[in-house]
Amino acid sequence: MTQNVTFDDLKTVTDYEEEHFTEATRIPMWDPEVDDVLVCRQVRQETHDVKTFLFSAREPRVFRFYPGQHMTFELPVEGMIMRSYTISASAARPYRVEITVKRVPGGPGSNWLLDNMLPGKEVNVTGPAGEFTTDATQEEKLLFISAGSGITPMMSMTRTACDLAEPTDLHFIHAARTPADIIFRHELELLAAQNPAFKLSFTCSTTSGYNSWSGFEGRLSLQMLSLMSPDFKDRKILCCGPARFMEGVQNMLQESGFDMANYHEESFDFGAETAGTFEDQIAAPEISDQTYRVTFTKTGHVVECGPGMTILSAAREAGILPMASCQRGICGTCKSQLVSGETDMQHGGGIRKREIDQGKILICCTTPMSDIEVDL
Ligand code: FES
């Protein structure tokens, strides 16, 4: 008789280890507060412009993450830049993490990774973090809709659900430019063949030259969606892709009368956020009705910061342009030193507790609660 490991077991892996491993064989958990170096172990070419990078810690570690969460990488480009990438691996395989990265023309992070990251190289990271996740083994009926490299969080959720062999009723729709651009195509087709409750559909913008293509062709439309997933209105929908793609999906669902309370989305393009995502990710900052003075000690600028205004907005008003990427408290790019004063920070995992203890703040999601000084 076999017994399946459930999603909940992921959360209690420490308890499991306590019971089943001796002191000599126990592998410590990856602790985001302490551990911050990953070593690249393998690089896989997925499509002509997409690679998967497999990492583990220097010393053996067990990673605990929820499918859909991301890690933020410090990359040595133009000094140093921070980039967040969703973990594409199954959360049920906790000894490694993988990210899958598509080359973005002119994108410094993706180009550096695809051209330079090799087995044996080390990289500093923070995380895992992020709220875009679902317990795919518990939801009754799910529909994933993704486009391009927005497939990565859905892939982690799908791999996890299939690894745990839970009877999830899951439809997965993915849009790509051509059949050759479909990331993870063969693995997804295999999972669909092996799991009766997993239904898979692809649509490609163009299929000319691909004579054996039997999937859909053209942009995802309401008519196409109804053919792919006739009961889509009964499902919880998770969507990830370029901002314009998600906007199109939202409009289409609204037009169909879909209950948008069951719609959730994640943009993998932090530079092109859609309205509402910020609130989905982190709690709104505590809003004081007072105005406080923010002094930027390096430049000497002083700005009056009104109710609800973040320190990043105040800096921009002063003509200072600090580095910032996600603007959601996730990536850590805007990390700065608070010199004095009280603040309220509502971050999404882009900063460690020990950094907070040292007076660091993420200025994109921090509002002043007194007159403050910031080292900018
Ligand atoms: S810009 Fe990403 S945490 Fe502030």
Side-chain angles (χ1 to χ4, degrees):
M1 193 176 91
T2 59
Q3 186 180 358
N4 287 336
V5 178
T6 69
F7 188 84
D8 278 345
D9 290 333
L10 294 173
K11 301 168 192 166
T12 56
V13 65
T14 310
D15 300 338
Y16 180 85
E17 286 182 341
E18 289 292 338
E19 291 169 21
H20 294 82
F21 289 81
T22 66
E23 192 64 42
T25 57
R26 188 177 302 149
I27 298 176
M29 302 288 291
W30 169 271
D31 181 353
E33 287 295 328
V34 178
D35 297 310
D36 56 6
V37 177
L38 290 179
V39 184
C40 181
R41 304 294 183 186
Q42 190 183 70
V43 180
R44 291 197 305 271
Q45 190 85 41
E46 300 285 0
T47 70
H48 69 101
D49 60 353
V50 176
K51 286 182 180 177
T52 289
F53 303 92
L54 187 152
F55 298 94
S56 62
R58 275 185 187 144
E59 303 296 329
R61 288 285 183 278
V62 173
F63 294 89
R64 183 171 61 176
F65 61 93
Y66 294 99
Q69 287 193 305
H70 61 265
M71 297 187 89
T72 299
F73 289 66
E74 293 178 15
L75 304 176
V77 185
E78 298 156 5
M80 194 259 286
I81 60 170
M82 315 282 277
R83 286 290 181 272
S84 297
Y85 296 102
T86 306
I87 299 169
S88 52
S90 166
R93 302 184 190 191
Y95 299 102
R96 63 187 196 184
V97 288
E98 291 178 12
I99 57 168
T100 301
V101 182
K102 181 181 171 68
R103 189 185 295 277
V104 178
S110 63
N111 279 283
W112 188 89
L113 277 167
L114 267 75
D115 293 337
N116 296 282
M117 184 52 74
L118 295 168
K121 281 209 170 189
E122 297 191 343
V123 61
N124 277 66
V125 297
T126 53
E131 302 294 324
F132 184 71
T133 184
T134 188
D135 187 344
T137 64
Q138 300 298 315
E139 299 290 342
E140 284 227 306
K141 292 176 116 188
L142 289 169
L143 171 57
F144 295 164
I145 303 178
S146 62
S149 55
I151 197 171
T152 51
M154 315 311 195
M155 195 62 194
S156 180
M157 294 175 199
T158 302
R159 283 170 162 162
T160 305
C162 291
D163 273 349
L164 298 180
E166 291 282 342
T168 305
D169 182 343
L170 172 60
H171 286 187
F172 193 148
I173 295 171
H174 180 67
R177 207 167 57 80
T178 72
D181 290 302
I182 300 173
I183 309 167
F184 309 126
R185 177 180 172 183
H186 298 303
E187 183 181 344
L188 282 168
E189 287 173 341
L190 185 63
L191 291 174
Q194 291 172 336
N195 295 277
F198 177 42
K199 188 177 164 197
L200 178 67
S201 304
F202 295 124
T203 182
C204 293
S205 310
T206 175
T207 62
S208 63
Y210 297 90
N211 295 334
S212 60
W213 178 249
S214 58
F216 289 82
E217 181 174 3
R219 286 178 56 175
L220 184 63
S221 63
L222 194 50
Q223 189 185 18
M224 194 187 285
L225 176 64
S226 304
L227 287 170
M228 292 168 160
S229 183
D231 61 350
F232 73 91
K233 286 187 186 171
D234 302 331
R235 294 177 177 272
K236 175 179 173 180
I237 297 181
L238 279 81
C239 182
C240 186
R244 283 189 62 186
F245 173 80
M246 293 194 297
E247 202 178 314
V249 171
Q250 267 201 56
N251 292 340
M252 183 175 71
L253 292 174
Q254 273 162 350
E255 186 190 319
S256 76
F258 181 79
D259 178 0
M260 295 307 282
N262 291 324
Y263 173 81
H264 307 270
E265 68 177 29
E266 171 82 315
S267 171
F268 59 88
D269 177 1
F270 286 145
E273 289 300 312
T274 51
T277 311
F278 182 85
E279 286 78 5
D280 289 346
Q281 292 295 319
I282 58 176
E286 187 180 325
I287 295 183
S288 156
D289 54 7
Q290 270 193 274
T291 294
Y292 295 111
R293 185 180 311 125
V294 179
T295 304
F296 297 103
T297 53
K298 274 201 184 110
T299 61
H301 286 91
V302 179
V303 183
E304 293 298 316
C305 198
M309 190 180 202
T310 64
I311 298 167
L312 176 62
S313 302
R316 286 174 173 165
E317 200 163 289
I320 306 168
L321 298 175
M323 295 264 289
S325 179
C326 71
Q327 301 188 43
R328 292 190 281 160
I330 292 172
C331 70
T333 306
C334 66
K335 203 174 292 166
S336 305
Q337 183 68 43
L338 179 69
V339 178
S340 69
E342 301 295 319
T343 59
D344 177 55
M345 176 165 61
Q346 301 288 340
H347 66 89
I351 189 167
R352 295 183 175 89
K353 184 176 175 304
R354 66 175 140 94
E355 294 172 318
I356 297 171
D357 293 344
Q358 291 162 1
K360 296 271 194 309
I361 52 173
L362 299 176
I363 58 172
C364 70
C365 57
T366 300
T367 51
M369 301 300 285
S370 70
D371 291 346
I372 62 168
E373 293 178 303
V374 181
D375 189 26
L376 276 173

